[in-house]
Amino acid sequence: MHQPDFVFRGHLAAVNSVCFFSDDRLLVSGDQDGHLIVWNMMLKRQLAKVTSAHSAAILTVCGLGADTVVSQGRDNKLCIWTLVASEFSGELRLVKSLAVDSMNFCKFSYATIQSSSWIAFLVDAGAGEACLLAVGSEEQHSLNIGHKSRTKAGSRDDSPMCIKLVASGESQQLELFVGYESNMLQQFGINTSDNKMSAVLKRSVTTVHTEPIMSLDYDSQRQLVYTCAADNKVCCYTADGSGFKEHAAAAELKNPGNSEIRCFSTLALVAVASWDYTVHLFTSDLEPTASIAFHRAALTSVDVSTLSTAGADGIADEYVRQRWNSRSRWMAVASRDARISLWDIGAVLARARSCGAADT
């Protein structure tokens, strides 16, 4: 069995989401009991914790900039927090709480353009109504991303199951990718007119998934969209005129059920957190690279650090600063066994190359 470099054990319930932020100095996680924890990555210890940040399970979390945390819960709330902290302790202060539709487990998504961060989230899944919010201001816009699917019984509303907000191209134009219950994938451009934003459908495709799309991610460097679902398929599409086309044949895992897919452009790496307790790693062309099985329950979330050195300027001790700047690139994996494992992704990939590609 593979062994991680470190295991975080501060949660007492299933950990549903993890995310690095503040130039890798911090990691935020949220669990099934609604608890929110920020971890100091230099010390590998808790920095701040909010017990019952949500009255139901936390679906997803992220960190923006150096001191902003965003969380979404099954209590249909999206919360924005400010972190006030010293080196050894801190607290999360609630700044804003917004109504969000979490009933179909669709998680918010975020993108940063220059110094502005935007969050997209569902307001009414059945009606296909989403909201685009500028963090740190009162600016928000309503978006229509509804879709009708055809069934034997006729047309019906097709609920969005996952969304991905991206800043695309040299102009950093906001775009929104949406995966639906019917297995449809759509891409919307976000247009601005008279200070109002609207979603305009650009392209769509019926994916090869046989179950609802659970998660998607976008590689802006290669302009590729990756999807996973409750089935055993991992798919990759590229934009082609008014539609999408398969960039690579769908990878098929041994077991069905995937929670989250993430792509990391600089590593040309795709990671899938699966229900079979395993992280499946692929190249950007969906060639299997490695499989990591350590946890004792289904995996829920995965993130990889950036290796940014921007945060090192605030480290007074020269020795500590040098060690921080020479750190390994981490992969954090969250599981329903209440643990978060931390891996040296470079060592994992090197071991996989020496042993040959893993059998997924």
Side-chain angles (χ1 to χ4, degrees):
M1 176 186 291
H2 296 94
Q3 293 296 320
D5 290 23
F6 193 82
V7 178
F8 296 95
R9 293 184 169 87
H11 290 280
L12 299 179
V15 185
N16 291 333
S17 183
V18 289
C19 180
F20 290 103
F21 72 109
S22 189
D23 298 314
D24 298 345
R25 291 179 299 173
L26 302 173
L27 178 77
V28 60
S29 56
D31 70 26
Q32 190 72 14
D33 286 344
H35 302 338
L36 190 62
I37 298 179
V38 175
W39 307 86
N40 181 322
M41 291 304 297
M42 289 186 181
L43 302 176
K44 306 294 191 302
R45 57 173 288 175
Q46 286 187 31
L47 180 67
K49 180 176 182 178
V50 181
T51 301
S52 298
H54 290 266
S55 60
I58 291 177
L59 288 180
T60 188
V61 296
C62 80
L64 301 174
D67 58 5
T68 299
V69 170
V70 185
S71 60
Q72 178 187 345
R74 286 281 286 163
D75 57 0
N76 295 319
K77 291 182 180 180
L78 185 143
C79 295
I80 300 176
W81 311 80
T82 292
L83 175 66
V84 180
S86 62
E87 182 178 3
F88 299 105
S89 65
E91 64 174 320
L92 285 166
R93 297 175 182 173
L94 182 63
V95 175
K96 182 182 292 187
S97 179
L98 300 166
V100 60
D101 189 345
S102 299
M103 296 309 294
N104 65 342
F105 299 94
C106 185
K107 305 171 182 178
F108 74 81
S109 182
Y110 66 94
T112 299
I113 301 178
Q114 297 177 349
S115 59
S116 299
S117 293
W118 293 85
I119 298 176
F121 57 91
L122 282 187
V123 176
D124 187 335
E129 181 184 352
C131 181
L132 191 60
L133 171 73
V135 179
S137 77
E138 298 300 320
E139 183 181 355
Q140 54 184 300
H141 304 270
S142 179
L143 304 177
N144 180 7
I145 57 172
H147 175 256
K148 296 284 187 180
S149 63
R150 296 180 180 180
T151 67
K152 294 181 179 179
S155 178
R156 71 173 183 85
D157 291 326
D158 194 5
S159 295
M161 299 296 293
C162 54
I163 58 177
K164 178 66 179 180
L165 184 66
V166 303
S168 180
E170 294 182 0
S171 62
Q172 293 289 279
Q173 175 73 28
L174 284 175
E175 296 188 336
L176 188 67
F177 293 88
V178 185
Y180 293 87
E181 186 177 10
S182 67
N183 76 5
M184 175 69 71
L185 171 66
Q186 294 196 142
Q187 179 185 358
F188 294 86
I190 308 298
N191 290 357
T192 302
S193 177
D194 297 329
N195 295 320
K196 292 184 179 180
M197 291 184 175
S198 60
V200 178
L201 181 63
K202 295 182 67 174
R203 53 183 60 89
S204 61
V205 65
T206 300
T207 67
V208 298
H209 290 294
T210 57
E211 298 285 349
I213 300 175
M214 301 292 290
S215 178
L216 63 88
D217 204 1
Y218 179 68
D219 185 333
S220 58
Q221 181 176 317
R222 297 171 180 82
Q223 298 183 346
L224 299 174
V225 185
Y226 297 92
T227 63
C228 69
D231 58 18
N232 69 333
K233 295 181 175 64
V234 180
C235 300
C236 178
Y237 294 90
T238 185
D240 179 32
S242 60
F244 291 97
K245 68 177 182 180
E246 277 192 319
H247 173 75
E252 295 194 6
L253 304 176
K254 288 182 178 179
N255 302 301
N258 301 294
S259 300
E260 185 173 84
I261 188 166
R262 296 291 312 279
C263 62
F264 306 99
S265 298
T266 56
L267 294 172
L269 181 72
V270 177
V272 181
S274 299
W275 300 351
D276 63 0
Y277 312 176
T278 305
V279 179
H280 301 281
L281 300 178
F282 301 88
T283 67
S284 56
D285 294 327
L286 294 186
E287 293 293 330
T289 299
S291 295
I292 301 173
F294 164 75
H295 289 275
R296 297 191 294 267
L299 305 186
T300 55
S301 183
V302 60
D303 196 19
V304 171
S305 63
T306 64
L307 278 186
S308 170
T309 59
D313 295 339
I315 303 174
D317 187 281
E318 177 67 21
Y319 174 73
V320 175
R321 183 165 60 250
Q322 289 180 359
R323 281 184 58 87
W324 175 253
N325 286 338
S326 62
R327 69 191 182 279
S328 301
R329 191 160 194 174
W330 297 313
M331 179 173 68
V333 180
S335 171
R336 294 189 63 82
D337 66 7
R339 298 182 297 170
I340 302 167
S341 57
L342 191 69
W343 304 80
D344 178 341
I345 189 63
V348 169
L349 296 176
R351 185 165 57 244
R353 286 192 292 267
S354 65
C355 299
D359 179 12
T360 59

